[in-house]
């Protein structure tokens, strides 16, 4: 028997990124239903809202159950147009702005698209700086300016250091360098010498040998690099080394990039520079 | 007169990224208040909830108005502990799960941390592939596999191509290459030759000359590269060229990385590979 299906619309007057995230986190709580996602960003006029309603009602006609529509719409007129659609509509702003206005004793500004605004040049600069830093310090290519790093990730090749560094940069404006742990380090049973001065900034990444073997095989099939026994050996050596040196680590097999990044923010008590 | 201040807590049993985003987008609607943000992730036990309440009540004692607490907590017991704090508490899950359960005619699973789960290996692979693609095709370093690009960004040096490519990769699993437009292209009044075959994939970025000059000056102060007249000339030439070739573009001065990425997703009708 196939799962029941629902079309879900994420409708926003901005990028829709917030409404997608919140809607997605709610829908993951319903495992027995298959959801088909449609994001409709930049719905900031009544005309665009009407066009969006046409798409929603199209989906309603073609589906067995009415569509679900999550919205973050600041403008009341635009919201009213969407709400009139033949669908189950939930607006996040409407539900929360009222109680917040009561709590703050002031009206909200009803301004569209404030949450991902480019107007804050300082934040943009933090982001760009952090991205440049991550790229300049990817995979141990440079040990210059390591004192400016907020965190230095270590781990075997392909354990998830680069995506984590870039995520920290883009999402939080955090400067993350990353350094590979290689067989020489295991032979010496020591962290790369250049990192000695920055022990307090080190955070490790590990990975299940099975997953590592898969990932490496995509890049260099049938090599020593991607050989399972070698992957197992490297992971074990890296974990021994990190344990010996008292470096905390997270496992990228069981934790997502978001979870690892958040753990790092928390462990090092870092404050985000970007919202 | 200084602005009234409030401490705002974002409390989650997962990373807190979703609750931060939604809370932040609500708070940007209240311009007259200064908010101090505190994120408390991974609150998934009653003990951690109690420790969190202690922090909230500390803030309550030190502030003139009670703290605001946004939560996404799946577990009812944990939620009850937080709700008992001396604060204004809004839980997103509680407000929306009930109506959704009614609409779907089924109970939600109350599973913690499903929205940024690492369990979906396929999504992880899409993300890593897209990041590797962006890095391998940053700043025109390689024209290999350009047929595999979902989009190719063009624009003058420092117009925002790299951050946009990386954001598309991390957030959506979209493969974005990027190519600089350089004086030679302006002389020939043509796009770089290697891009001829991929005209349908091109998207331009532009930037205000003033901002470009600032950004370039941080990298190479007092150079021709960062000279204001040169920045103005390059931007004008690039815009002429894009216009002549019928390439859509966005301005990274007035649009955030999120807004540009969303515009690209919409214009090219791209479907995200990562949630």
């Amino acid at each position: 028997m196939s799962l029941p299906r629902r079309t879900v619309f994420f409708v926003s007057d901005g990028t829709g990124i917030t409404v997608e995230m919140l809607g997605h986190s709610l829908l993951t709580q319903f495992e027995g239903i298959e959801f088909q996602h449609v994001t409709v960003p930049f719905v900031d006029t009544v005309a665009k809202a009407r066009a969006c309603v046409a798409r929603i009602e199209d989906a309603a006609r073609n589906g067995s159950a009415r569509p679900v529509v999550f919205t973050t719409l600041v403008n009341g007129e635009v919201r009213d147009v969407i709400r009139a659609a033949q669908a189950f509509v939930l607006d996040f702003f409407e539900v929360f702005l009222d109680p917040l206005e009561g709590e703050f004793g002031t009206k909200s500004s009803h301004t569209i698209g404030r949450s991902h605004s480019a107007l804050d040049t300082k934040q943009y600069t933090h982001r760009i700086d952090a991205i440049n830093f991550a790229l300049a310090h990817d995979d141990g290519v440079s040990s210059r300016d390591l004192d400016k790093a907020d965190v230095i990730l270590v781990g075997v090749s392909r354990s998830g250091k680069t995506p984590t560094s870039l995520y920290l940069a883009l999402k939080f404006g955090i400067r993350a360098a990353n350094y590979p742990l290689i067989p020489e380090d295991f032979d010496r049973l020591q962290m790369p010498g250049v990192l000695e001065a920055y022990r307090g900034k080190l955070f490790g990444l590990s990975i299940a040998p099975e997953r590592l073997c898969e990932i490496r095989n995509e890049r260099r099939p049938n090599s020593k690099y991607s050989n399972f026994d070698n992957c197992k050996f490297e992971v074990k050596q890296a974990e021994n080394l990190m344990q010996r040196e008292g470096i905390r680590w997270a496992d990228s097999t069981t934790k997502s990039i978001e979870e690892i990044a958040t753990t790092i923010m928390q462990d090092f008590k870092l404050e985000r520079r970007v919202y």
Side-chain angles (χ1 to χ4, degrees), chain A:
Chain A
M1 208 189 81
S2 69
L3 291 176
R5 291 179 56 128
R6 286 274 187 145
T7 307
V8 181
F9 286 85
F10 301 107
V11 183
S12 171
D13 42 36
T15 61
I17 291 169
T18 303
V19 70
E20 272 183 336
M21 261 185 123
L22 187 63
H24 179 67
S25 77
L26 289 166
L27 295 177
T28 53
Q29 297 291 321
F30 296 91
E31 286 165 53
I33 308 170
E34 198 183 310
F35 297 105
Q36 194 178 351
H37 299 241
V38 183
T39 303
V40 192
F42 306 127
V43 179
D44 51 6
T45 64
V46 166
K48 287 186 198 164
R50 292 213 178 102
C52 178
V53 167
R55 291 179 65 180
I56 294 168
E57 305 211 318
D58 224 39
R61 270 187 300 275
N62 296 322
S64 54
R66 62 178 176 170
V68 175
V69 182
F70 293 107
T71 68
T72 42
L73 294 167
V74 172
N75 182 301
E77 263 182 278
V78 171
R79 203 193 285 156
D80 288 343
V81 173
I82 302 290
R83 194 197 315 285
Q86 301 299 313
F88 182 66
V89 182
L90 290 170
D91 186 82
F92 294 131
F93 277 4
E94 192 178 33
V95 172
F96 292 110
L97 280 182
D98 264 9
L100 283 172
E101 288 183 354
E103 174 68 14
F104 297 145
T106 177
K107 284 274 160 200
S108 62
S109 66
H110 292 272
T111 320
I112 285 176
R114 294 191 62 86
S115 60
H116 300 290
S117 165
L119 301 178
D120 192 332
T121 323
K122 215 171 100 189
Q123 291 206 18
Y124 186 83
T125 307
H126 281 316
R127 243 179 160 175
I128 302 295
D129 284 352
I131 292 169
N132 290 338
F133 190 89
L135 294 176
H137 296 85
D138 187 36
D139 208 31
V141 289
S142 165
S143 51
R144 248 189 81 195
D145 290 336
L146 273 184
D147 56 308
K148 298 204 178 95
D150 295 303
V151 58
I152 302 169
L153 303 177
V154 293
V156 300
S157 167
R158 297 287 133 187
S159 55
K161 301 184 298 299
T162 301
T164 306
S165 310
L166 292 172
Y167 187 85
L168 284 165
L170 269 164
K171 183 77 187 173
F172 301 123
I174 292 296
R175 288 182 300 271
N178 77 75
Y179 246 81
L181 294 180
I182 56 174
E184 281 173 42
D185 304 314
F186 308 144
D187 291 345
R188 297 186 308 127
L189 258 171
Q190 280 183 354
M191 283 288 145
V194 63
L195 302 181
E196 262 315 307
Y198 309 103
R199 295 181 61 92
K201 292 183 178 187
L202 301 187
F203 188 91
L205 285 182
S206 197
I207 183 169
E210 294 76 12
R211 173 80 80 90
L212 183 62
C213 175
E214 255 175 61
I215 297 173
R216 287 185 172 185
N217 255 307
E218 290 210 2
R219 286 181 80 83
R220 290 196 227 153
N222 306 316
S223 61
K224 185 187 173 197
Y225 174 76
S226 63
N227 171 276
F228 178 68
D229 285 334
N230 178 59
C231 289
K232 210 165 109 180
F233 174 79
E234 281 193 32
V235 168
K236 196 170 161 38
Q237 292 286 316
E239 289 187 357
N240 283 347
L241 182 51
M242 292 190 287
Q243 189 147 38
R244 187 189 157 99
E245 303 247 347
I247 295 166
R248 287 157 295 182
W249 79 83
D251 186 331
S252 69
T253 326
T254 52
K255 277 187 157 57
S256 66
I257 297 170
E258 283 84 353
E259 286 166 335
I260 295 170
T262 304
T263 304
I264 290 167
M265 295 295 288
Q266 195 181 31
D267 278 13
F268 289 89
K269 297 193 185 351
L270 296 173
E271 294 216 14
R272 59 195 295 169
R273 299 192 184 96
V274 171
Y275 276 96

